[in-house]
PDB file of all heavy atoms in Angstrom:
ATOM      1  N   ARG H   1     -50.389 -44.685  67.448  1.00 94.00           N
ATOM      2  CA  ARG H   1     -51.342 -45.101  68.492  1.00 94.00           C
ATOM      3  C   ARG H   1     -52.478 -44.091  68.615  1.00 94.00           C
ATOM      4  O   ARG H   1     -53.652 -44.451  68.680  1.00 94.00           O
ATOM      5  CB  ARG H   1     -50.615 -45.250  69.828  1.00 94.00           C
ATOM      6  CG  ARG H   1     -51.492 -45.743  70.971  1.00 94.00           C
ATOM      7  CD  ARG H   1     -50.649 -46.114  72.182  1.00 94.00           C
ATOM      8  NE  ARG H   1     -51.461 -46.558  73.302  1.00 94.00           N
ATOM      9  CZ  ARG H   1     -51.939 -45.750  74.238  1.00 94.00           C
ATOM     10  NH1 ARG H   1     -51.662 -44.446  74.188  1.00 94.00           N
ATOM     11  NH2 ARG H   1     -52.663 -46.228  75.234  1.00 94.00           N
ATOM     12  N   GLY H   2     -52.111 -42.804  68.615  1.00 93.00           N
ATOM     13  CA  GLY H   2     -53.129 -41.777  68.709  1.00 93.00           C
ATOM     14  C   GLY H   2     -54.028 -41.748  67.488  1.00 93.00           C
ATOM     15  O   GLY H   2     -55.247 -41.559  67.587  1.00 93.00           O
ATOM     16  N   GLU H   3     -53.429 -41.946  66.291  1.00 94.00           N
ATOM     17  CA  GLU H   3     -54.215 -41.980  65.068  1.00 94.00           C
ATOM     18  C   GLU H   3     -55.217 -43.130  65.106  1.00 94.00           C
ATOM     19  O   GLU H   3     -56.396 -42.964  64.755  1.00 94.00           O
ATOM     20  CB  GLU H   3     -53.290 -42.129  63.855  1.00 94.00           C
ATOM     21  CG  GLU H   3     -54.027 -42.138  62.524  1.00 94.00           C
ATOM     22  CD  GLU H   3     -53.122 -42.391  61.324  1.00 94.00           C
ATOM     23  OE1 GLU H   3     -51.945 -42.791  61.527  1.00 94.00           O
ATOM     24  OE2 GLU H   3     -53.591 -42.198  60.184  1.00 94.00           O
ATOM     25  N   MET H   4     -54.765 -44.300  65.552  1.00 95.00           N
ATOM     26  CA  MET H   4     -55.640 -45.460  65.577  1.00 95.00           C
ATOM     27  C   MET H   4     -56.742 -45.301  66.606  1.00 95.00           C
ATOM     28  O   MET H   4     -57.880 -45.742  66.383  1.00 95.00           O
ATOM     29  CB  MET H   4     -54.820 -46.724  65.858  1.00 95.00           C
ATOM     30  CG  MET H   4     -55.548 -48.016  65.495  1.00 95.00           C
ATOM     31  SD  MET H   4     -55.932 -48.154  63.731  1.00 95.00           S
ATOM     32  CE  MET H   4     -57.691 -48.538  63.791  1.00 95.00           C
ATOM     33  N   GLN H   5     -56.458 -44.665  67.733  1.00 94.00           N
ATOM     34  CA  GLN H   5     -57.501 -44.430  68.735  1.00 94.00           C
ATOM     35  C   GLN H   5     -58.619 -43.568  68.152  1.00 94.00           C
ATOM     36  O   GLN H   5     -59.808 -43.838  68.361  1.00 94.00           O
ATOM     37  CB  GLN H   5     -56.897 -43.762  69.969  1.00 94.00           C
ATOM     38  CG  GLN H   5     -56.078 -44.693  70.838  1.00 94.00           C
ATOM     39  CD  GLN H   5     -55.430 -43.977  72.013  1.00 94.00           C
ATOM     40  OE1 GLN H   5     -55.234 -42.752  72.002  1.00 94.00           O
ATOM     41  NE2 GLN H   5     -55.109 -44.721  73.055  1.00 94.00           N
ATOM     42  N   ARG H   6     -58.239 -42.539  67.439  1.00 94.00           N
ATOM     43  CA  ARG H   6     -59.242 -41.681  66.796  1.00 94.00           C
ATOM     44  C   ARG H   6     -60.050 -42.455  65.766  1.00 94.00           C
ATOM     45  O   ARG H   6     -61.276 -42.303  65.668  1.00 94.00           O
ATOM     46  CB  ARG H   6     -58.565 -40.480  66.128  1.00 94.00           C
ATOM     47  CG  ARG H   6     -57.921 -39.493  67.086  1.00 94.00           C
ATOM     48  CD  ARG H   6     -57.139 -38.421  66.311  1.00 94.00           C
ATOM     49  NE  ARG H   6     -56.537 -37.439  67.188  1.00 94.00           N
ATOM     50  CZ  ARG H   6     -55.750 -36.449  66.759  1.00 94.00           C
ATOM     51  NH1 ARG H   6     -55.481 -36.326  65.457  1.00 94.00           N
ATOM     52  NH2 ARG H   6     -55.233 -35.583  67.615  1.00 94.00           N
ATOM     53  N   LEU H   7     -59.368 -43.284  64.979  1.00 96.00           N
ATOM     54  CA  LEU H   7     -60.054 -44.048  63.947  1.00 96.00           C
ATOM     55  C   LEU H   7     -60.958 -45.123  64.540  1.00 96.00           C
ATOM     56  O   LEU H   7     -62.063 -45.364  64.028  1.00 96.00           O
ATOM     57  CB  LEU H   7     -59.037 -44.677  62.991  1.00 96.00           C
ATOM     58  CG  LEU H   7     -58.351 -43.694  62.046  1.00 96.00           C
ATOM     59  CD1 LEU H   7     -57.164 -44.343  61.353  1.00 96.00           C
ATOM     60  CD2 LEU H   7     -59.332 -43.148  61.011  1.00 96.00           C
ATOM     61  N   ASP H   8     -60.511 -45.784  65.603  1.00 95.00           N
ATOM     62  CA  ASP H   8     -61.364 -46.767  66.276  1.00 95.00           C
ATOM     63  C   ASP H   8     -62.680 -46.109  66.688  1.00 95.00           C
ATOM     64  O   ASP H   8     -63.761 -46.675  66.500  1.00 95.00           O
ATOM     65  CB  ASP H   8     -60.661 -47.327  67.518  1.00 95.00           C
ATOM     66  CG  ASP H   8     -59.643 -48.409  67.191  1.00 95.00           C
ATOM     67  OD1 ASP H   8     -59.772 -49.050  66.133  1.00 95.00           O
ATOM     68  OD2 ASP H   8     -58.716 -48.612  67.995  1.00 95.00           O
ATOM     69  N   TRP H   9     -62.573 -44.933  67.260  1.00 94.00           N
ATOM     70  CA  TRP H   9     -63.770 -44.209  67.713  1.00 94.00           C
ATOM     71  C   TRP H   9     -64.681 -43.882  66.539  1.00 94.00           C
ATOM     72  O   TRP H   9     -65.879 -44.180  66.554  1.00 94.00           O
ATOM     73  CB  TRP H   9     -63.334 -42.926  68.431  1.00 94.00           C
ATOM     74  CG  TRP H   9     -64.478 -42.016  68.769  1.00 94.00           C
ATOM     75  CD1 TRP H   9     -65.358 -42.150  69.802  1.00 94.00           C
ATOM     76  CD2 TRP H   9     -64.859 -40.828  68.052  1.00 94.00           C
ATOM     77  NE1 TRP H   9     -66.271 -41.116  69.765  1.00 94.00           N
ATOM     78  CE2 TRP H   9     -65.992 -40.299  68.722  1.00 94.00           C
ATOM     79  CE3 TRP H   9     -64.353 -40.169  66.931  1.00 94.00           C
ATOM     80  CZ2 TRP H   9     -66.628 -39.129  68.285  1.00 94.00           C
ATOM     81  CZ3 TRP H   9     -64.981 -39.009  66.495  1.00 94.00           C
ATOM     82  CH2 TRP H   9     -66.099 -38.500  67.165  1.00 94.00           C
ATOM     83  N   ALA H  10     -64.111 -43.282  65.492  1.00 95.00           N
ATOM     84  CA  ALA H  10     -64.921 -42.825  64.359  1.00 95.00           C
ATOM     85  C   ALA H  10     -65.486 -43.982  63.547  1.00 95.00           C
ATOM     86  O   ALA H  10     -66.687 -43.999  63.210  1.00 95.00           O
ATOM     87  CB  ALA H  10     -64.087 -41.918  63.466  1.00 95.00           C
ATOM     88  N   LEU H  11     -64.656 -44.949  63.209  1.00 97.00           N
ATOM     89  CA  LEU H  11     -65.107 -46.047  62.363  1.00 97.00           C
ATOM     90  C   LEU H  11     -66.142 -46.908  63.072  1.00 97.00           C
ATOM     91  O   LEU H  11     -67.079 -47.419  62.439  1.00 97.00           O
ATOM     92  CB  LEU H  11     -63.908 -46.896  61.923  1.00 97.00           C
ATOM     93  CG  LEU H  11     -62.910 -46.167  61.013  1.00 97.00           C
ATOM     94  CD1 LEU H  11     -61.670 -47.038  60.784  1.00 97.00           C
ATOM     95  CD2 LEU H  11     -63.538 -45.811  59.670  1.00 97.00           C
ATOM     96  N   GLY H  12     -65.991 -47.068  64.380  1.00 96.00           N
ATOM     97  CA  GLY H  12     -66.986 -47.822  65.142  1.00 96.00           C
ATOM     98  C   GLY H  12     -68.358 -47.182  65.061  1.00 96.00           C
ATOM     99  O   GLY H  12     -69.379 -47.858  64.863  1.00 96.00           O
ATOM    100  N   ILE H  13     -68.396 -45.865  65.200  1.00 95.00           N
ATOM    101  CA  ILE H  13     -69.671 -45.137  65.121  1.00 95.00           C
ATOM    102  C   ILE H  13     -70.249 -45.223  63.713  1.00 95.00           C
ATOM    103  O   ILE H  13     -71.443 -45.505  63.523  1.00 95.00           O
ATOM    104  CB  ILE H  13     -69.467 -43.668  65.534  1.00 95.00           C
ATOM    105  CG1 ILE H  13     -69.109 -43.594  67.020  1.00 95.00           C
ATOM    106  CG2 ILE H  13     -70.714 -42.843  65.228  1.00 95.00           C
ATOM    107  CD1 ILE H  13     -68.647 -42.221  67.469  1.00 95.00           C
ATOM    108  N   ILE H  14     -69.416 -44.986  62.705  1.00 96.00           N
ATOM    109  CA  ILE H  14     -69.910 -44.973  61.326  1.00 96.00           C
ATOM    110  C   ILE H  14     -70.420 -46.347  60.913  1.00 96.00           C
ATOM    111  O   ILE H  14     -71.487 -46.466  60.280  1.00 96.00           O
ATOM    112  CB  ILE H  14     -68.810 -44.487  60.358  1.00 96.00           C
ATOM    113  CG1 ILE H  14     -68.446 -43.037  60.661  1.00 96.00           C
ATOM    114  CG2 ILE H  14     -69.276 -44.622  58.908  1.00 96.00           C
ATOM    115  CD1 ILE H  14     -67.217 -42.545  59.917  1.00 96.00           C
ATOM    116  N   ARG H  15     -69.691 -47.393  61.262  1.00 96.00           N
ATOM    117  CA  ARG H  15     -70.137 -48.740  60.906  1.00 96.00           C
ATOM    118  C   ARG H  15     -71.444 -49.091  61.626  1.00 96.00           C
ATOM    119  O   ARG H  15     -72.267 -49.848  61.097  1.00 96.00           O
ATOM    120  CB  ARG H  15     -69.055 -49.766  61.241  1.00 96.00           C
ATOM    121  CG  ARG H  15     -67.955 -49.863  60.194  1.00 96.00           C
ATOM    122  CD  ARG H  15     -68.506 -50.358  58.887  1.00 96.00           C
ATOM    123  NE  ARG H  15     -67.483 -50.531  57.842  1.00 96.00           N
ATOM    124  CZ  ARG H  15     -67.673 -50.242  56.569  1.00 96.00           C
ATOM    125  NH1 ARG H  15     -68.831 -49.759  56.176  1.00 96.00           N
ATOM    126  NH2 ARG H  15     -66.730 -50.439  55.687  1.00 96.00           N
ATOM    127  N   ARG H  16     -71.668 -48.517  62.795  1.00 94.00           N
ATOM    128  CA  ARG H  16     -72.910 -48.792  63.521  1.00 94.00           C
ATOM    129  C   ARG H  16     -74.098 -48.089  62.867  1.00 94.00           C
ATOM    130  O   ARG H  16     -75.167 -48.676  62.710  1.00 94.00           O
ATOM    131  CB  ARG H  16     -72.777 -48.335  64.978  1.00 94.00           C
ATOM    132  CG  ARG H  16     -73.993 -48.713  65.833  1.00 94.00           C
ATOM    133  CD  ARG H  16     -73.847 -48.272  67.275  1.00 94.00           C
ATOM    134  NE  ARG H  16     -74.047 -46.833  67.420  1.00 94.00           N
ATOM    135  CZ  ARG H  16     -73.131 -45.988  67.860  1.00 94.00           C
ATOM    136  NH1 ARG H  16     -71.916 -46.420  68.165  1.00 94.00           N
ATOM    137  NH2 ARG H  16     -73.414 -44.703  67.991  1.00 94.00           N
ATOM    138  N   VAL H  17     -73.923 -46.841  62.472  1.00 93.00           N
ATOM    139  CA  VAL H  17     -75.053 -46.069  61.948  1.00 93.00           C
ATOM    140  C   VAL H  17     -75.255 -46.277  60.446  1.00 93.00           C
ATOM    141  O   VAL H  17     -76.356 -46.071  59.932  1.00 93.00           O
ATOM    142  CB  VAL H  17     -74.886 -44.566  62.263  1.00 93.00           C
ATOM    143  CG1 VAL H  17     -74.786 -44.342  63.757  1.00 93.00           C
ATOM    144  CG2 VAL H  17     -73.682 -43.966  61.541  1.00 93.00           C
ATOM    145  N   SER H  18     -74.200 -46.674  59.735  1.00 94.00           N
ATOM    146  CA  SER H  18     -74.321 -46.884  58.286  1.00 94.00           C
ATOM    147  C   SER H  18     -73.385 -48.017  57.867  1.00 94.00           C
ATOM    148  O   SER H  18     -72.325 -47.784  57.279  1.00 94.00           O
ATOM    149  CB  SER H  18     -73.973 -45.594  57.535  1.00 94.00           C
ATOM    150  OG  SER H  18     -74.233 -45.729  56.160  1.00 94.00           O
ATOM    151  N   PRO H  19     -73.771 -49.256  58.161  1.00 94.00           N
ATOM    152  CA  PRO H  19     -72.852 -50.389  57.983  1.00 94.00           C
ATOM    153  C   PRO H  19     -72.419 -50.659  56.552  1.00 94.00           C
ATOM    154  O   PRO H  19     -71.373 -51.263  56.330  1.00 94.00           O
ATOM    155  CB  PRO H  19     -73.649 -51.576  58.557  1.00 94.00           C
ATOM    156  CG  PRO H  19     -75.075 -51.144  58.537  1.00 94.00           C
ATOM    157  CD  PRO H  19     -75.057 -49.669  58.744  1.00 94.00           C
ATOM    158  N   ASP H  20     -73.202 -50.210  55.573  1.00 95.00           N
ATOM    159  CA  ASP H  20     -72.891 -50.555  54.190  1.00 95.00           C
ATOM    160  C   ASP H  20     -72.166 -49.459  53.419  1.00 95.00           C
ATOM    161  O   ASP H  20     -71.831 -49.643  52.243  1.00 95.00           O
ATOM    162  CB  ASP H  20     -74.184 -50.908  53.440  1.00 95.00           C
ATOM    163  CG  ASP H  20     -74.867 -52.144  54.011  1.00 95.00           C
ATOM    164  OD1 ASP H  20     -74.143 -53.053  54.468  1.00 95.00           O
ATOM    165  OD2 ASP H  20     -76.107 -52.187  54.007  1.00 95.00           O
ATOM    166  N   VAL H  21     -71.920 -48.317  54.044  1.00 97.00           N
ATOM    167  CA  VAL H  21     -71.272 -47.225  53.330  1.00 97.00           C
ATOM    168  C   VAL H  21     -69.847 -47.614  52.937  1.00 97.00           C
ATOM    169  O   VAL H  21     -69.162 -48.339  53.673  1.00 97.00           O
ATOM    170  CB  VAL H  21     -71.254 -45.938  54.189  1.00 97.00           C
ATOM    171  CG1 VAL H  21     -70.406 -46.116  55.442  1.00 97.00           C
ATOM    172  CG2 VAL H  21     -70.742 -44.753  53.378  1.00 97.00           C
ATOM    173  N   ILE H  22     -69.417 -47.182  51.764  1.00 98.00           N
ATOM    174  CA  ILE H  22     -68.038 -47.411  51.340  1.00 98.00           C
ATOM    175  C   ILE H  22     -67.139 -46.465  52.123  1.00 98.00           C
ATOM    176  O   ILE H  22     -67.295 -45.241  52.066  1.00 98.00           O
ATOM    177  CB  ILE H  22     -67.874 -47.176  49.829  1.00 98.00           C
ATOM    178  CG1 ILE H  22     -68.757 -48.142  49.039  1.00 98.00           C
ATOM    179  CG2 ILE H  22     -66.405 -47.355  49.417  1.00 98.00           C
ATOM    180  CD1 ILE H  22     -68.748 -47.909  47.537  1.00 98.00           C
ATOM    181  N   LEU H  23     -66.186 -47.029  52.867  1.00 98.00           N
ATOM    182  CA  LEU H  23     -65.309 -46.247  53.721  1.00 98.00           C
ATOM    183  C   LEU H  23     -63.878 -46.264  53.200  1.00 98.00           C
ATOM    184  O   LEU H  23     -63.313 -47.320  52.936  1.00 98.00           O
ATOM    185  CB  LEU H  23     -65.315 -46.793  55.160  1.00 98.00           C
ATOM    186  CG  LEU H  23     -66.524 -46.480  56.025  1.00 98.00           C
ATOM    187  CD1 LEU H  23     -66.330 -47.070  57.418  1.00 98.00           C
ATOM    188  CD2 LEU H  23     -66.748 -44.977  56.115  1.00 98.00           C
ATOM    189  N   SER H  24     -63.318 -45.084  53.086  1.00 98.00           N
ATOM    190  CA  SER H  24     -61.902 -44.905  52.774  1.00 98.00           C
ATOM    191  C   SER H  24     -61.217 -44.366  54.021  1.00 98.00           C
ATOM    192  O   SER H  24     -61.778 -43.521  54.728  1.00 98.00           O
ATOM    193  CB  SER H  24     -61.758 -43.906  51.617  1.00 98.00           C
ATOM    194  OG  SER H  24     -60.421 -43.465  51.483  1.00 98.00           O
ATOM    195  N   VAL H  25     -60.027 -44.848  54.292  1.00 98.00           N
ATOM    196  CA  VAL H  25     -59.255 -44.343  55.433  1.00 98.00           C
ATOM    197  C   VAL H  25     -58.017 -43.633  54.908  1.00 98.00           C
ATOM    198  O   VAL H  25     -57.242 -44.187  54.126  1.00 98.00           O
ATOM    199  CB  VAL H  25     -58.861 -45.476  56.402  1.00 98.00           C
ATOM    200  CG1 VAL H  25     -57.899 -44.956  57.464  1.00 98.00           C
ATOM    201  CG2 VAL H  25     -60.107 -46.060  57.060  1.00 98.00           C
ATOM    202  N   ASP H  26     -57.878 -42.400  55.336  1.00 97.00           N
ATOM    203  CA  ASP H  26     -56.774 -41.527  54.919  1.00 97.00           C
ATOM    204  C   ASP H  26     -55.619 -41.707  55.894  1.00 97.00           C
ATOM    205  O   ASP H  26     -55.616 -41.131  56.985  1.00 97.00           O
ATOM    206  CB  ASP H  26     -57.298 -40.084  54.916  1.00 97.00           C
ATOM    207  CG  ASP H  26     -56.255 -39.070  54.477  1.00 97.00           C
ATOM    208  OD1 ASP H  26     -55.101 -39.464  54.227  1.00 97.00           O
ATOM    209  OD2 ASP H  26     -56.597 -37.883  54.392  1.00 97.00           O
ATOM    210  N   THR H  27     -54.641 -42.537  55.508  1.00 97.00           N
ATOM    211  CA  THR H  27     -53.485 -42.776  56.367  1.00 97.00           C
ATOM    212  C   THR H  27     -52.266 -43.113  55.517  1.00 97.00           C
ATOM    213  O   THR H  27     -52.400 -43.677  54.430  1.00 97.00           O
ATOM    214  CB  THR H  27     -53.746 -43.925  57.366  1.00 97.00           C
ATOM    215  OG1 THR H  27     -52.620 -44.057  58.253  1.00 97.00           O
ATOM    216  CG2 THR H  27     -53.967 -45.262  56.653  1.00 97.00           C
ATOM    217  N   TYR H  28     -51.085 -42.755  56.009  1.00 96.00           N
ATOM    218  CA  TYR H  28     -49.854 -43.143  55.329  1.00 96.00           C
ATOM    219  C   TYR H  28     -49.103 -44.212  56.106  1.00 96.00           C
ATOM    220  O   TYR H  28     -47.986 -44.579  55.755  1.00 96.00           O
ATOM    221  CB  TYR H  28     -48.946 -41.929  55.091  1.00 96.00           C
ATOM    222  CG  TYR H  28     -48.628 -41.104  56.322  1.00 96.00           C
ATOM    223  CD1 TYR H  28     -47.690 -41.538  57.261  1.00 96.00           C
ATOM    224  CD2 TYR H  28     -49.243 -39.883  56.544  1.00 96.00           C
ATOM    225  CE1 TYR H  28     -47.382 -40.790  58.378  1.00 96.00           C
ATOM    226  CE2 TYR H  28     -48.948 -39.114  57.656  1.00 96.00           C
ATOM    227  CZ  TYR H  28     -48.021 -39.569  58.577  1.00 96.00           C
ATOM    228  OH  TYR H  28     -47.722 -38.817  59.693  1.00 96.00           O
TER     229      TYR H  28
END
């Protein structure tokens, strides 16, 4: 839950400022 909260915050910002960038998510 904590990991996803952090990712929601970060990915939301990144997709807003650079929508076309190739994004990899580091998670197991």
Side-chain angles (χ1 to χ4, degrees):
R1 183 169 179 270
E3 182 184 12
M4 197 63 231
Q5 286 177 338
R6 293 174 179 176
L7 287 168
D8 280 336
W9 172 78
L11 295 173
I13 293 170
I14 296 170
R15 279 296 183 218
R16 185 179 75 242
V17 301
S18 187
D20 296 326
V21 65
I22 299 175
L23 284 182
S24 166
V25 172
D26 181 357
T27 184
Y28 54 77

